[in-house]
Amino acid sequence: MTEEAFDVVVVGSCMTDLVSQAPRLPKAGETIHGHKFFIGFGGKGANQCIQAARLGAKTAMVCKVGKDFFGDNYIQNFKDNGVYTDFVGQTSDSATGAASIIVNSAGENAIVIVAGANMLLGIEELHKALSAISHAKVLVCQLEISPQTSLDALRMARENKVKTVFNPAPAVPDLDPDFYRVSDVFCCNESEAELLTGFSVANVEEAHRAGQELLKRGCGSVIVTLGPQGCMVLKAQESTPKHVPATAVTAVDTTGAGDSFIGALAFYMAHYPTMPLEEMACRANQVAAVSVQAAGTQTSYPFKKDLPVKLF
Ligand SMILES: Nc1ncnc2c1ncn2[C@@H]1O[C@H](COP(=O)(O)OP(=O)(O)O)[C@@H](O)[C@H]1O
Ligand SMILES: *[C@@H]1O[C@H](CO)[C@@H](O)[C@H](O)[C@H]1NC(C)=O
């Protein structure tokens, strides 16, 4: 690889969302008529990468899609957003990851996720991307791919002094303890913090306690996102956790807010490495707050040009 270093490399998932809106959820064996269907781009890894790219980060995605229509389409989506795609593999052994989502008129949903090609991303693909990973400013991983691949990628980054952001989502109760040790920033939401610590995380004080427990396990810093309450930031060198409140906005659709937050955080870590983490979190809160004010996941993610200049 000869191009200059990437700001943000994401090793993670890509999913196509197939969304049907219907008056109610069908019962087993039943066929019902819905009134709206749309296809959306999702997957936590891809979402985070695209938010970072829209803020102006030079990004690369390391992932696997199927050799199918959805895979081709997703690669085009990365290109449209300026994401480098040479490390997006296509396989004929599995389909592109898909989430079939049915939403009823009360806004409740039933979802089937088939991870598909995401689970075939492994050490071989990481080796192909080694130069990009080892020269990146920031590496970001989640858990929608094989956990071993995430851990291998984080270790690879660490060995090369690349800053790491780990988002343990979707959370698993038996997370390999090495994930904490390889995370410069360990960023999760309330339910993930609950599952990982066994503590209740329903308010700012409880997020303190859970954050402190996670920090003890060996990460550099912990961020617990708290929806409309913003987030809690804890640093290993400091004993006082900081609550960083969110801007009050009217939320329309909070799907993917956490991914917008993490993508923005990765952008700030890459562009302003000496900025205090609370300040980065404060700005990431503001980016994510924009994303909750529009419908959809990636469709709601702001571009640099849509945001106040004070965020840059
Ligand atoms: N209703 C809201 N108003 C303002 N900001 C919000 C709202 N919901 C989410 N956010 C922003 O998005 C971030 C992530 O949201 P959260 O709900 O914690 O994550 P997840 O999407 O994983 O459930 C929050 O830290 C906050 O910055
Ligand atoms: C946290 O993220 C998970 C996905 O990993 C999601 O299912 C859950 O609803 C989120 N929790 C909150 C409180 O937003």
Side-chain angles (χ1 to χ4, degrees), residues 64-79:
K64 192 162 257 190
V65 297
K67 215 173 254 175
D68 51 26
F69 168 80
F70 292 126
D72 294 344
N73 226 20
Y74 217 122
I75 290 171
Q76 189 57 47
N77 178 51
F78 282 132
K79 289 182 174 155

Side-chain angles (χ1 to χ4, degrees), residues 141 146-156 176 178-179 182:
C141 286
S146 133
Q148 188 58 53
T149 306
S150 278
L151 193 52
D152 288 341
L154 290 161
R155 285 192 178 123
M156 227 179 222
D176 184 328
D178 279 356
F179 275 107
V182 294

